[in-house]
Amino acid sequence: MSTAEVSDSFDGDKLYQQRARKALPYLVRQALVGETIFYSDLAEELSMPNPRNLNYVLGCIGTALIELSEQTDEDIPPIQCLVVNKETELPGEGIGWFISKKEFRKLSKKQKKVIVDSQLAKIYSYQDWLWVLDELEIEHPIFPKISEPTQSKKGGGESQGHKQLKEYIANNPTVIGLTESWPKGEVEYSLPSGDSVDVMFQWRKQLVAVEVKSSISDTPDINRGLFQCVKYQSVSEAMLGVQGKPQNVQTYLVLESEFPKSLIPTKNMLGIQVLDNIYAKKS
């Protein structure tokens, strides 16, 4: 029996129902900015220690949206499709109950992606997500305030810690999850925009751009790093596009220290992958 069949909808005091009411505004936020979110990242925002427990939470949301659709004669897309696995970049098998007449788990990855992508297009183009929240008596999502850019308090150019961290990342691609087949990265890789990526890895028509922040970076500087990653992603894709190459780019923000909790919503809305406490990941 699927999770969807055993999950009750919103009204109730079960823990997964409480979490579903808390999670829906986060999903609406992601829909409004046009980004999926990893299971682990959503669990982090919900203060859930185990992302696997999201299956009932998302099933509950899906059931609630079906009930609202029937009550209002409104075609509401299955917003829980936005929550994806970090490895497959697809929702869990339980999503099949909501989006496919065929047995979803038996489809190939390519077939699943086609079905999921069609649902994502509906989710991103749906104009009435705030109405959905109002109908379900759920508060609207809270968007983080973007601070005015400030000058760094640090002077004198690049710190020794930042330089060492760049070199460490460049020489150890497996630390950021790349396989041992990947060659070493290039430090200060120049983009056509005039920007320099701290570290760029290249292999088999794939690019992985890495923005690095050492332990001296404060929260505003790490916030700037998130937006730098957005820029690197866009410029790198454009660079490959004008060269007639596949726009296969990944971007990471790598931190020597811990990622600030206050920036978690921004990270998730921008769709940036962050690796923190990087030296602790030494093999």
Side-chain angles (χ1 to χ4, degrees):
M1 182 176 292
S2 72
T3 301
E5 293 175 290
V6 297
S7 294
D8 295 325
S9 61
F10 265 30
D11 298 325
D13 294 326
K14 295 176 182 177
L15 182 57
Y16 74 83
Q17 292 170 315
Q18 297 175 35
R19 285 171 168 168
R21 292 192 291 271
K22 185 178 178 181
L24 183 56
Y26 294 142
L27 299 190
V28 168
R29 179 197 69 195
Q30 296 299 123
L32 295 177
V33 299
E35 286 286 347
T36 57
I37 185 170
F38 294 133
Y39 280 93
S40 57
D41 289 337
L42 179 58
E44 183 179 35
E45 289 209 63
L46 294 172
S47 300
M48 291 176 57
N50 188 355
R52 291 180 180 274
N53 291 331
L54 280 169
N55 57 349
Y56 281 96
V57 174
L58 299 176
C60 181
I61 290 173
T63 301
L65 295 186
I66 289 175
E67 291 176 351
L68 182 60
S69 294
E70 294 172 347
Q71 293 166 7
T72 61
D73 198 27
E74 174 77 6
D75 188 13
I76 304 172
I79 199 171
Q80 68 274 24
C81 269
L82 292 175
V83 189
V84 299
N85 181 281
K86 190 172 290 187
E87 300 298 324
T88 65
E89 296 186 351
L90 289 170
E93 302 290 357
I95 196 65
W97 194 87
F98 297 97
I99 66 173
S100 178
K101 294 180 180 179
K102 298 180 179 180
E103 191 166 352
F104 190 73
R105 69 178 66 248
K106 293 184 178 180
L107 300 177
S108 69
K109 182 178 178 180
K110 187 173 182 180
Q111 290 172 321
K112 291 176 182 177
K113 190 175 188 308
V114 170
I115 294 174
V116 170
D117 283 349
S118 68
Q119 295 298 329
L120 292 178
K122 294 177 183 178
I123 292 166
Y124 295 146
S125 62
Y126 186 66
Q127 300 294 307
D128 294 317
W129 286 119
L130 298 182
W131 169 83
V132 169
L133 293 179
D134 290 338
E135 289 294 308
L136 294 173
E137 299 182 349
I138 302 294
E139 292 185 3
H140 290 193
I142 298 175
F143 290 86
K145 294 181 180 179
I146 304 298
S147 302
E148 291 294 326
T150 57
Q151 294 295 322
S152 174
K153 297 178 182 179
K154 305 291 181 181
E158 182 180 31
S159 71
Q160 185 64 23
H162 186 259
K163 183 178 180 180
Q164 290 175 345
L165 184 55
K166 288 192 302 184
E167 294 289 346
Y168 172 68
I169 296 300
N171 291 321
N172 296 276
T174 57
V175 172
I176 65 168
L178 303 180
T179 65
E180 294 181 354
S181 302
W182 280 76
K184 294 180 180 180
E186 180 178 341
V187 174
E188 293 298 322
Y189 179 91
S190 296
L191 294 173
S193 61
D195 296 287
S196 294
V197 182
D198 283 339
V199 182
M200 181 71 85
F201 294 96
Q202 302 181 70
W203 188 56
R204 291 185 176 178
K205 298 181 180 181
Q206 300 176 74
L207 294 181
V208 175
V210 181
E211 170 75 355
V212 168
K213 295 294 181 184
S214 69
S215 60
I216 67 172
S217 289
D218 55 11
T219 297
D221 191 36
I222 294 172
N223 186 61
R224 284 192 292 272
L226 290 170
F227 284 90
Q228 280 296 110
C229 287
V230 174
K231 187 175 185 180
Y232 295 159
Q233 181 78 27
S234 296
V235 175
S236 297
E237 288 177 350
M239 177 183 70
L240 293 175
V242 299
Q243 294 173 351
K245 298 178 180 179
Q247 296 175 320
N248 192 347
V249 182
Q250 287 182 289
T251 309
Y252 291 92
L253 176 61
V254 173
L255 309 179
E256 181 179 359
S257 55
E258 186 172 352
F259 184 71
K261 292 187 182 301
S262 61
L263 295 181
I264 290 173
T266 302
K267 174 199 70 164
N268 291 340
M269 283 188 285
L270 296 177
I272 303 300
Q273 296 193 61
V274 175
L275 300 172
D276 61 358
N277 294 316
I278 197 67
Y279 285 132
K281 295 177 171 62
K282 289 183 179 181
S283 57

